[in-house]
Structures are given as structure tokens and as C-alpha cells.
Amino acid sequence: MINIILCLLLALLATHVSQAFTVIRTTQVASRIRRDPKHTLSAAPDEALSDIVIPNVFDFSAYQSEIEQNSGETEDPRIWVPQTDCLSFRPLCFCTSQGYYVNLLKFKGGGVLGRHRHSSPVHALTLKGSWGYKEHDWNAKPGTYVFEPPGETHTLIVDEDCDEMVTLFHVTGSLLYVSEDEDEDGGEVIGFDDVFSKLEKAKKWYAECGLGEDYVTQFVR
């Protein structure tokens, strides 16, 4: 059943479309930061386009009977690549030929993903739970589509009352991890991620967990 759902979700996303994985385990940090105006940062340069947030583009409840009917279908939990004790990702496509990747990002419990800047567009569709950015006032619940324009700098937040968040992300190009210092350049670059670094993380995990390093090749195009 998961394959059916993923095909439907991917059909909603554009063809050419990471998170900063510095994760802070928190109890009340997420809610406090989002509501404190002192933490407001500029999300994008003046020349950048605005983001797009469209709630309820997909009604998962309409497929509830099919989901329950196929509830016996399970996948090997080792497919999920752990980032921390509360964050993992499930690879769907590592497109090394065009420089993008598609994955499911899963966050268990509230927390904050480190601040990062996108050089290229990102598309997202929330499947479970909810999330948002410290630099924006919207909240992406199940069925919400989000477009993040190039030049966007933000900090992903999952509130403490969210037991589990799962979102499909289609990320193109490089992602730059930046410091919290707000300057004219949007903060100091402290790291990066792209399709190749994500691929290496998956290969390393699959080798460690027993699936084998070559397991990742089925996702590479």
C-alpha cells in the first residue's frame, strides 16, 4: 500500500524539485521559539520569490479503507536511515544525474532542525503530524503542500505535542547549514548537504545494519 500512496504523492510534485541535521531534542523549545518575536529572522533575500503553502491538497482519509485493508503489508524498518535518536529518513530517489533527491523525513517527538539555506527549490508534502519554520507563521499539517524558493533560509520546527512527523521532501541542489548569527549574508556557513552526501549516509547505514551497502543502488538514478 505504501507504494500506491507514494506514487500518488510523487505525482503531485514537480519533476525538478535536506534538512540541516543538527537536531535539538526539546520539550518546549519549539513552541517557545515560534512564538517569541525576538527570534524572528529573515527567511529570504528581497529578490527571492515567496513560498507557497496549500493546505489539504490530498485527503488521506479518503483512502483509509485501503490502508486498513493492506495494514498487514510492512517494510523492513532498517530502510529508514537514522540521523539521531529522533530523526530518520527513508530514501525514495537519489538522482545523481540531475542533482536532487526525494525522501521521507520522519521526526519522533518535538525538536528543532538546524538553520539552513537552500540554493535551489524544495517541494514538500506532509503525510503525518505537523511542522513549520521558525521564520514563517504557517503550520504544515497532513495533506499540506509546501514550495520553498531558492534563497530561502529557515529552521524547521516540530512541536513537542507531535508524536511523529513524516513529510515527503523533494530537494534539488545544495543545502548550506548556517549559524544562528543574523548578518547581511544570512549567517556563517558551517556545513552542507546534497544528493551525494545523503547517498553516502544511506550507504554507510545499510552496510552497518546488515542490508548491505549495495541496497542503496535501487534508489540511484
Side-chain angles (χ1 to χ4, degrees):
M1 183 58 197
I2 187 171
N3 291 330
I4 296 175
I5 294 177
L6 291 178
C7 287
L8 290 169
L9 297 178
L10 287 171
L12 294 172
L13 300 177
T15 301
H16 295 289
V17 267
S18 180
Q19 309 314 91
F21 293 112
T22 306
V23 179
I24 305 172
R25 206 43 150 148
T26 180
T27 55
Q28 296 183 345
V29 172
S31 294
R32 184 174 68 251
I33 289 178
R34 181 175 293 173
R35 292 168 177 77
D36 188 346
K38 293 186 297 182
H39 289 278
T40 300
L41 301 173
S42 59
D46 294 338
E47 294 80 5
L49 300 176
S50 61
D51 55 343
I52 299 173
V53 181
I54 307 175
N56 304 317
V57 298
F58 193 87
D59 183 8
F60 294 103
S61 63
Y63 296 88
Q64 189 60 40
S65 60
E66 294 183 49
I67 294 174
E68 293 176 353
Q69 182 179 356
N70 294 278
S71 60
E73 298 182 9
T74 58
E75 65 177 6
D76 192 323
R78 294 177 296 174
I79 293 178
W80 290 85
V81 180
Q83 295 285 150
T84 69
D85 61 341
C86 60
L87 174 67
S88 59
F89 70 90
R90 200 271 196 217
L92 299 178
C93 176
F94 291 121
C95 191
T96 57
S97 61
Q98 297 188 48
Y100 70 81
Y101 63 88
V102 184
N103 66 191
L104 298 179
L105 191 72
K106 178 163 64 177
F107 207 119
K108 287 184 173 292
V112 179
L113 286 168
R115 189 175 180 225
H116 55 281
R117 180 184 310 129
H118 292 283
S119 63
S120 300
V122 174
H123 297 251
L125 184 64
T126 308
L127 310 183
K128 182 179 182 182
S130 63
W131 60 280
Y133 289 125
K134 180 170 66 175
E135 296 79 9
H136 294 286
D137 58 4
W138 49 261
N139 193 38
K141 297 180 179 180
T144 299
Y145 165 79
V146 177
F147 167 75
E148 305 170 13
E152 176 87 357
T153 300
H154 46 222
T155 311
L156 193 151
I157 296 175
V158 179
D159 288 330
E160 75 244 28
D161 58 355
C162 180
D163 294 332
E164 183 175 82
M165 183 278 283
V166 179
T167 298
L168 184 150
F169 281 96
H170 189 313
V171 183
T172 301
S174 298
L175 175 152
L176 301 176
Y177 305 154
V178 298
S179 66
E180 292 290 341
D181 299 328
E182 181 70 357
D183 55 29
E184 61 181 8
D185 296 321
E188 178 184 359
V189 176
I190 57 178
F192 79 96
D193 229 335
D194 58 18
V195 62
F196 298 102
S197 62
K198 293 279 287 189
L199 176 57
E200 287 303 312
K201 290 174 183 177
K203 288 171 63 176
K204 180 179 179 181
W205 166 247
Y206 291 147
E208 292 177 356
C209 74
L211 288 175
E213 184 176 298
D214 290 343
Y215 187 83
V216 77
T217 59
Q218 63 186 298
F219 307 120
V220 179
R221 292 294 184 272

